[in-house]
Amino acid sequence: MEDKEDFNYEQHFGSSYIFSLTFAAGIVTEFIGTCLINLMGLCGCMLLSGTEHSVGVLSVGMAFGLAYLVVVTMLQEKGACHFNPCFSFSSLFLGHVSLLYCCTSVCAQVLGAGLSATILHLCFGNQWDAKAMIVYVPGDLSVFSVLVCEFVGSLLILCSKNVPFENTATKNYFVATAIIISVTIFMPYSGGSMNPARAIGPSLSYHLKETIPPNIWVYWVGPLAASAVSVFLLFCGVLYKGDLF
């Protein structure tokens, strides 16, 4: 497969390729990758609520960030490896993928997150509180405050993702670090989602279908707004090409 900077996503993932193996491989990659990342991250969320072997928010942030790094390294030759609707939409805004591939990958990501929640509930539901996988809005914070938290955290991650690097591996490390920082800082305030698929996915699980957060729109509007802003910053030249390493 071509280098990521030169890879023609429109050619490989455009609407005319919907029935091709390449298109299908990209969508399956989004599904599997999102499922694996959320398996690790959501397991950390369940451990965070446990009375024994409990972990801190830093451990949850590292679970999400390092899981992303490992999965994207394994699967980067098979597709765009977004694993987050925000990444898909920012790629759409930048013209890297077609609208068809963007929408299909977002559906795959949501389903992958839902599958991960179902697996964790079936395996550990009797030991830990499965509802801990659901993002929450703290009672002492306004919805606007939660929206700001999701926006700022997502913007940090998306800026790391959208800055072009000569070395793809370098970018992956920067994105993973941004995920760790964002989840660790904002988890006590917004649940540390920064990923609409992670926010709604657990609610799609059969066992958690009645636990959809009351303000679930916040976990979509904030990150998607950050996606648009990050693309704007890139076009304005605020985000420039990195030459580290």
Side-chain angles (χ1 to χ4, degrees):
M1 179 174 280
E2 299 96 319
D3 184 76
K4 281 292 181 181
E5 297 296 331
D6 300 322
F7 186 71
N8 190 336
Y9 288 106
E10 190 64 39
Q11 175 185 350
H12 288 269
F13 299 130
S15 58
S16 62
Y17 286 80
I18 185 171
F19 297 112
S20 69
L21 292 177
T22 307
F23 184 94
I27 300 303
V28 172
T29 297
E30 296 292 339
F31 175 79
I32 295 176
T34 307
C35 181
L36 291 176
I37 292 171
N38 281 276
L39 271 175
M40 301 298 103
L42 294 179
C43 186
C45 292
M46 294 175 69
L47 286 171
L48 184 62
S49 67
T51 55
E52 298 181 359
H53 309 294
S54 60
V55 298
V57 291
L58 176 59
S59 299
V60 178
M62 293 184 66
F64 275 109
L66 296 180
Y68 170 84
L69 181 61
V70 171
V71 172
V72 76
T73 301
M74 291 191 305
L75 302 178
Q76 62 184 349
E77 298 299 323
K78 301 300 181 181
C81 291
H82 295 150
F83 312 133
N84 187 330
C86 298
F87 293 171
S88 297
F89 279 105
S90 63
S91 293
L92 174 64
F93 298 152
L94 291 171
H96 292 166
V97 299
S98 65
L99 178 61
L100 175 63
Y101 180 79
C102 175
C103 294
T104 309
S105 63
V106 168
C107 293
Q109 292 156 12
V110 172
L111 292 176
L115 176 61
S116 66
T118 301
I119 293 174
L120 288 173
H121 186 275
L122 293 175
C123 294
F124 305 110
N126 295 329
Q127 302 177 40
W128 299 311
D129 184 10
K131 292 183 179 180
M133 293 185 288
I134 305 296
V135 291
Y136 61 93
V137 178
D140 56 345
L141 285 181
S142 65
V143 174
F144 178 75
S145 298
V146 176
L147 178 64
V148 171
C149 290
E150 287 294 306
F151 174 81
V152 174
S154 298
L155 186 62
L156 174 62
I157 297 172
L158 285 158
C159 287
S160 301
K161 175 71 173 178
N162 289 337
V163 171
F165 281 92
E166 296 289 348
N167 189 336
T168 304
T170 302
K171 176 188 286 189
N172 294 338
Y173 279 103
F174 270 81
V175 175
T177 302
I179 292 174
I180 294 173
I181 294 173
S182 297
V183 174
T184 302
I185 293 176
F186 294 109
M187 189 169 187
Y189 306 102
S190 68
S193 174
M194 271 71 73
N195 185 336
R198 176 261 180 273
I200 192 64
S203 300
L204 297 180
S205 170
Y206 173 78
H207 303 281
L208 301 171
K209 62 182 179 180
E210 298 179 357
T211 57
I212 297 178
N215 296 295
I216 191 64
W217 62 270
V218 170
Y219 298 98
W220 283 84
V221 173
L224 293 181
S227 178
V229 171
S230 68
V231 173
F232 176 76
L233 294 176
L234 186 63
F235 281 136
C236 290
V238 177
L239 303 179
Y240 59 90
K241 189 169 186 176
D243 55 0
L244 298 176
F245 311 109

